[in-house]
Amino acid sequence: MSKKLSRQFYNRATIDVAREILDKQIVYNSPNGKLSARIVEVEAYIGEGDPACHASRGKTKRNEVMFGKAGFAYLYLIYGMYNCLNFVTEKDGFPSAILLRAAEPEEGIDIMLQNNFKKESSKLLAGPGLFCKAFGLTREQNGLDLTNEELYLESRNNNKVEIVETTRIGISDGKELLGRFYDKNSKAVSKR
DNA sequence: TGAATGATGCGCT
DNA sequence: GCGCATCATTCAT
């Protein structure tokens, strides 16, 4: 049986949450039906001292969700065409979040294929932009409470996951800081 | 098969 | 106006 994660899960050190969030199940009750996937790749963005974190330049309208309480969804548009989904972590007033980079489809694959057609299912969620496209998430979902029924995470019966920790991807500052975690054995991890 | 580049919208400087 | 936590396509080797 799986179980919805409470706000307490998110309200901890971002690195710990990032490590444990792997192999969790993300569930989204979309207008078209229920979608779910197994998380296999994330990145941590921690605080105003992290040059790669959006919050490093202070609080703005765009990133204000990160400054709020843990357990909310932070969604934003990147490069004019792709959305990225983050999970806000740590206490109120401390800006930090975990970027969801890749997952493996479980329920609702047919719906994901409608959202992002001409894709094979194993690569359907292999990247942050692709994930949001297949799930139908946009910045209209920014600020959703992950303890509600619409969008949330579930724990599952722990497979043993081989976690690899490396540097983050696609950023210009703060490259040397570790913060990317992924399941070594998953085929859905974004690599070229 | 790897590297370069265009697409494209929005918020910040 | 510029640059961005990306992706798919093209071009070069």
Side-chain angles (χ1 to χ4, degrees):
Chain A
M1 272 306 292
S2 44
K3 194 169 149 187
K4 180 157 58 160
L5 298 174
S6 72
R7 194 173 313 286
Q8 287 309 107
F9 176 81
Y10 307 98
N11 193 18
R12 295 182 297 144
T14 307
I15 292 292
D16 293 337
V17 181
R19 208 173 272 129
E20 291 176 32
I21 214 167
L22 290 177
D23 196 49
K24 294 287 187 287
Q25 187 175 41
I26 179 166
V27 179
Y28 175 49
N29 286 303
S30 80
N32 298 324
K34 182 176 179 180
L35 300 172
S36 69
R38 188 177 80 94
I39 296 173
V40 297
E41 183 182 358
V42 294
E43 284 180 15
Y45 289 87
I46 309 170
E48 293 168 88
D50 179 354
C53 183
H54 286 170
S56 65
R57 289 183 309 222
K59 183 176 176 178
T60 67
K61 194 118 186 191
R62 179 191 186 206
N63 63 24
E64 65 183 356
V65 177
M66 265 203 292
F67 284 79
K69 280 196 293 187
F72 285 83
Y74 168 42
L75 278 143
Y76 64 94
L77 189 65
I78 191 68
Y79 301 123
M81 22 171 60
Y82 295 105
N83 295 282
C84 294
L85 172 63
N86 299 249
F87 307 115
V88 177
T89 59
E90 308 211 28
K91 62 177 185 281
D92 195 3
F94 188 90
S96 58
I98 294 169
L99 168 69
L100 175 60
R101 289 196 57 87
E104 296 175 353
E106 292 190 333
E107 296 174 73
I109 293 181
D110 50 335
I111 300 173
M112 299 181 205
L113 286 169
Q114 284 174 32
N115 290 334
N116 193 4
F117 59 114
K118 70 179 168 195
K119 277 279 177 195
E120 47 180 318
S121 60
S122 65
K123 301 285 181 192
L124 203 49
L125 307 177
L130 294 174
F131 177 88
C132 290
K133 191 172 179 190
F135 262 54
L137 293 168
T138 70
R139 68 187 190 291
E140 287 173 31
Q141 276 77 37
N142 190 35
L144 277 186
D145 189 337
L146 298 175
T147 63
N148 285 343
E149 293 303 314
E150 192 173 2
L151 178 67
Y152 57 93
L153 299 187
E154 287 181 342
S155 63
R156 51 196 296 122
N157 294 329
N158 344 290
N159 310 325
K160 290 232 170 86
V161 181
E162 212 174 332
I163 298 176
V164 182
E165 182 171 355
T166 60
T167 53
R168 292 173 294 186
I169 288 181
I171 53 177
S172 46
D173 285 322
K175 274 195 177 100
E176 67 284 357
L177 298 172
L178 294 180
R180 176 168 179 247
F181 300 88
Y182 64 91
D183 176 353
K184 184 181 176 188
N185 299 314
S186 174
K187 296 187 182 75
V189 172
S190 59
K191 262 197 198 130
R192 314 219 16 133

